[in-house]
PDB file of all heavy atoms in Angstrom:
ATOM      1  N   MET A 150      25.887 -11.531  33.651  1.00  0.00           N
ATOM      2  CA  MET A 150      26.611 -10.272  33.782  1.00  0.00           C
ATOM      3  C   MET A 150      25.654  -9.076  33.744  1.00  0.00           C
ATOM      4  O   MET A 150      25.766  -8.139  34.514  1.00  0.00           O
ATOM      5  CB  MET A 150      27.551 -10.202  32.589  1.00  0.00           C
ATOM      6  CG  MET A 150      28.906  -9.693  32.752  1.00  0.00           C
ATOM      7  SD  MET A 150      29.802 -10.010  34.212  1.00  0.00           S
ATOM      8  CE  MET A 150      31.362 -10.449  33.532  1.00  0.00           C
ATOM      9  N   LEU A 151      24.711  -9.128  32.807  1.00  0.00           N
ATOM     10  CA  LEU A 151      23.756  -8.020  32.675  1.00  0.00           C
ATOM     11  C   LEU A 151      22.860  -7.925  33.908  1.00  0.00           C
ATOM     12  O   LEU A 151      22.502  -6.833  34.339  1.00  0.00           O
ATOM     13  CB  LEU A 151      22.925  -8.185  31.398  1.00  0.00           C
ATOM     14  CG  LEU A 151      23.707  -7.941  30.101  1.00  0.00           C
ATOM     15  CD1 LEU A 151      22.930  -8.422  28.874  1.00  0.00           C
ATOM     16  CD2 LEU A 151      24.043  -6.456  29.950  1.00  0.00           C
ATOM     17  N   HIS A 152      22.524  -9.075  34.485  1.00  0.00           N
ATOM     18  CA  HIS A 152      21.752  -9.040  35.734  1.00  0.00           C
ATOM     19  C   HIS A 152      22.565  -8.368  36.838  1.00  0.00           C
ATOM     20  O   HIS A 152      22.050  -7.557  37.602  1.00  0.00           O
ATOM     21  CB  HIS A 152      21.370 -10.454  36.183  1.00  0.00           C
ATOM     22  CG  HIS A 152      20.178 -10.986  35.457  1.00  0.00           C
ATOM     23  ND1 HIS A 152      18.902 -10.580  35.731  1.00  0.00           N
ATOM     24  CD2 HIS A 152      20.075 -11.870  34.442  1.00  0.00           C
ATOM     25  CE1 HIS A 152      18.054 -11.185  34.922  1.00  0.00           C
ATOM     26  NE2 HIS A 152      18.754 -11.984  34.127  1.00  0.00           N
ATOM     27  N   LEU A 153      23.836  -8.715  36.905  1.00  0.00           N
ATOM     28  CA  LEU A 153      24.684  -8.109  37.937  1.00  0.00           C
ATOM     29  C   LEU A 153      24.857  -6.611  37.702  1.00  0.00           C
ATOM     30  O   LEU A 153      24.955  -5.834  38.647  1.00  0.00           O
ATOM     31  CB  LEU A 153      26.047  -8.813  37.982  1.00  0.00           C
ATOM     32  CG  LEU A 153      25.991 -10.193  38.637  1.00  0.00           C
ATOM     33  CD1 LEU A 153      27.259 -10.972  38.345  1.00  0.00           C
ATOM     34  CD2 LEU A 153      25.794 -10.069  40.144  1.00  0.00           C
ATOM     35  N   GLN A 154      24.895  -6.236  36.415  1.00  0.00           N
ATOM     36  CA  GLN A 154      24.965  -4.799  36.117  1.00  0.00           C
ATOM     37  C   GLN A 154      23.718  -4.095  36.682  1.00  0.00           C
ATOM     38  O   GLN A 154      23.821  -3.045  37.321  1.00  0.00           O
ATOM     39  CB  GLN A 154      25.038  -4.595  34.599  1.00  0.00           C
ATOM     40  CG  GLN A 154      25.086  -3.137  34.169  1.00  0.00           C
ATOM     41  CD  GLN A 154      26.431  -2.502  34.464  1.00  0.00           C
ATOM     42  OE1 GLN A 154      27.431  -2.871  33.897  1.00  0.00           O
ATOM     43  NE2 GLN A 154      26.450  -1.522  35.368  1.00  0.00           N
ATOM     44  N   ALA A 155      22.570  -4.707  36.453  1.00  0.00           N
ATOM     45  CA  ALA A 155      21.329  -4.109  36.978  1.00  0.00           C
ATOM     46  C   ALA A 155      21.357  -4.082  38.504  1.00  0.00           C
ATOM     47  O   ALA A 155      20.936  -3.102  39.130  1.00  0.00           O
ATOM     48  CB  ALA A 155      20.120  -4.896  36.469  1.00  0.00           C
ATOM     49  N   ASP A 156      21.867  -5.140  39.104  1.00  0.00           N
ATOM     50  CA  ASP A 156      21.972  -5.178  40.573  1.00  0.00           C
ATOM     51  C   ASP A 156      22.843  -4.037  41.089  1.00  0.00           C
ATOM     52  O   ASP A 156      22.509  -3.377  42.076  1.00  0.00           O
ATOM     53  CB  ASP A 156      22.572  -6.517  41.030  1.00  0.00           C
ATOM     54  CG  ASP A 156      21.588  -7.670  40.885  1.00  0.00           C
ATOM     55  OD1 ASP A 156      20.374  -7.434  41.023  1.00  0.00           O
ATOM     56  OD2 ASP A 156      22.031  -8.806  40.636  1.00  0.00           O
ATOM     57  N   LEU A 157      23.975  -3.833  40.421  1.00  0.00           N
ATOM     58  CA  LEU A 157      24.881  -2.747  40.838  1.00  0.00           C
ATOM     59  C   LEU A 157      24.213  -1.385  40.690  1.00  0.00           C
ATOM     60  O   LEU A 157      24.326  -0.525  41.559  1.00  0.00           O
ATOM     61  CB  LEU A 157      26.153  -2.765  39.981  1.00  0.00           C
ATOM     62  CG  LEU A 157      27.279  -3.697  40.381  1.00  0.00           C
ATOM     63  CD1 LEU A 157      28.388  -3.621  39.332  1.00  0.00           C
ATOM     64  CD2 LEU A 157      27.853  -3.325  41.750  1.00  0.00           C
ATOM     65  N   ASP A 158      23.514  -1.212  39.559  1.00  0.00           N
ATOM     66  CA  ASP A 158      22.839   0.071  39.324  1.00  0.00           C
ATOM     67  C   ASP A 158      21.748   0.297  40.375  1.00  0.00           C
ATOM     68  O   ASP A 158      21.575   1.403  40.878  1.00  0.00           O
ATOM     69  CB  ASP A 158      22.214   0.099  37.914  1.00  0.00           C
ATOM     70  CG  ASP A 158      23.276   0.111  36.813  1.00  0.00           C
ATOM     71  OD1 ASP A 158      24.464   0.334  37.133  1.00  0.00           O
ATOM     72  OD2 ASP A 158      22.915  -0.112  35.647  1.00  0.00           O
ATOM     73  N   TRP A 159      21.064  -0.762  40.692  1.00  0.00           N
ATOM     74  CA  TRP A 159      19.982  -0.641  41.674  1.00  0.00           C
ATOM     75  C   TRP A 159      20.552  -0.309  43.054  1.00  0.00           C
ATOM     76  O   TRP A 159      20.008   0.503  43.802  1.00  0.00           O
ATOM     77  CB  TRP A 159      19.157  -1.935  41.712  1.00  0.00           C
ATOM     78  CG  TRP A 159      17.852  -1.801  42.447  1.00  0.00           C
ATOM     79  CD1 TRP A 159      17.056  -0.691  42.512  1.00  0.00           C
ATOM     80  CD2 TRP A 159      17.205  -2.804  43.225  1.00  0.00           C
ATOM     81  NE1 TRP A 159      15.951  -0.956  43.265  1.00  0.00           N
ATOM     82  CE2 TRP A 159      16.006  -2.238  43.708  1.00  0.00           C
ATOM     83  CE3 TRP A 159      17.507  -4.122  43.546  1.00  0.00           C
ATOM     84  CZ2 TRP A 159      15.119  -2.947  44.517  1.00  0.00           C
ATOM     85  CZ3 TRP A 159      16.623  -4.832  44.339  1.00  0.00           C
ATOM     86  CH2 TRP A 159      15.439  -4.248  44.821  1.00  0.00           C
ATOM     87  N   LEU A 160      21.663  -0.925  43.349  1.00  0.00           N
ATOM     88  CA  LEU A 160      22.343  -0.662  44.622  1.00  0.00           C
ATOM     89  C   LEU A 160      22.661   0.834  44.751  1.00  0.00           C
ATOM     90  O   LEU A 160      22.473   1.447  45.800  1.00  0.00           O
ATOM     91  CB  LEU A 160      23.640  -1.467  44.642  1.00  0.00           C
ATOM     92  CG  LEU A 160      24.316  -1.728  45.973  1.00  0.00           C
ATOM     93  CD1 LEU A 160      23.416  -2.548  46.870  1.00  0.00           C
ATOM     94  CD2 LEU A 160      25.636  -2.468  45.748  1.00  0.00           C
ATOM     95  N   GLU A 161      23.132   1.383  43.638  1.00  0.00           N
ATOM     96  CA  GLU A 161      23.466   2.800  43.636  1.00  0.00           C
ATOM     97  C   GLU A 161      22.222   3.661  43.852  1.00  0.00           C
ATOM     98  O   GLU A 161      22.254   4.642  44.591  1.00  0.00           O
ATOM     99  CB  GLU A 161      24.103   3.124  42.294  1.00  0.00           C
ATOM    100  CG  GLU A 161      25.108   4.226  42.347  1.00  0.00           C
ATOM    101  CD  GLU A 161      25.992   4.157  41.124  1.00  0.00           C
ATOM    102  OE1 GLU A 161      25.534   4.602  40.052  1.00  0.00           O
ATOM    103  OE2 GLU A 161      27.107   3.632  41.226  1.00  0.00           O
ATOM    104  N   ARG A 162      21.144   3.275  43.218  1.00  0.00           N
ATOM    105  CA  ARG A 162      19.876   4.012  43.388  1.00  0.00           C
ATOM    106  C   ARG A 162      19.426   3.938  44.844  1.00  0.00           C
ATOM    107  O   ARG A 162      18.966   4.926  45.412  1.00  0.00           O
ATOM    108  CB  ARG A 162      18.794   3.436  42.470  1.00  0.00           C
ATOM    109  CG  ARG A 162      19.038   3.657  41.005  1.00  0.00           C
ATOM    110  CD  ARG A 162      18.817   5.119  40.601  1.00  0.00           C
ATOM    111  NE  ARG A 162      17.501   5.569  40.998  1.00  0.00           N
ATOM    112  CZ  ARG A 162      17.271   6.564  41.848  1.00  0.00           C
ATOM    113  NH1 ARG A 162      18.280   7.239  42.372  1.00  0.00           N
ATOM    114  NH2 ARG A 162      16.036   6.892  42.180  1.00  0.00           N
ATOM    115  N   CYS A 163      19.560   2.773  45.438  1.00  0.00           N
ATOM    116  CA  CYS A 163      19.171   2.621  46.845  1.00  0.00           C
ATOM    117  C   CYS A 163      20.027   3.546  47.708  1.00  0.00           C
ATOM    118  O   CYS A 163      19.536   4.198  48.627  1.00  0.00           O
ATOM    119  CB  CYS A 163      19.358   1.179  47.326  1.00  0.00           C
ATOM    120  SG  CYS A 163      18.194   0.023  46.594  1.00  0.00           S
ATOM    121  N   GLN A 164      21.323   3.584  47.381  1.00  0.00           N
ATOM    122  CA  GLN A 164      22.232   4.413  48.168  1.00  0.00           C
ATOM    123  C   GLN A 164      21.859   5.894  48.045  1.00  0.00           C
ATOM    124  O   GLN A 164      21.848   6.628  49.024  1.00  0.00           O
ATOM    125  CB  GLN A 164      23.662   4.188  47.687  1.00  0.00           C
ATOM    126  CG  GLN A 164      24.698   4.804  48.588  1.00  0.00           C
ATOM    127  CD  GLN A 164      26.102   4.379  48.212  1.00  0.00           C
ATOM    128  OE1 GLN A 164      26.406   4.185  47.043  1.00  0.00           O
ATOM    129  NE2 GLN A 164      26.957   4.249  49.192  1.00  0.00           N
TER     130      GLN A 164
END
Side-chain angles (χ1 to χ4, degrees):
Chain A
M150 220 36 136
L151 289 167
H152 279 284
L153 285 166
Q154 179 73 66
D156 287 328
L157 276 176
D158 292 348
W159 193 33
L160 199 62
E161 211 161 78
R162 292 288 305 119
C163 290
Q164 190 171 34

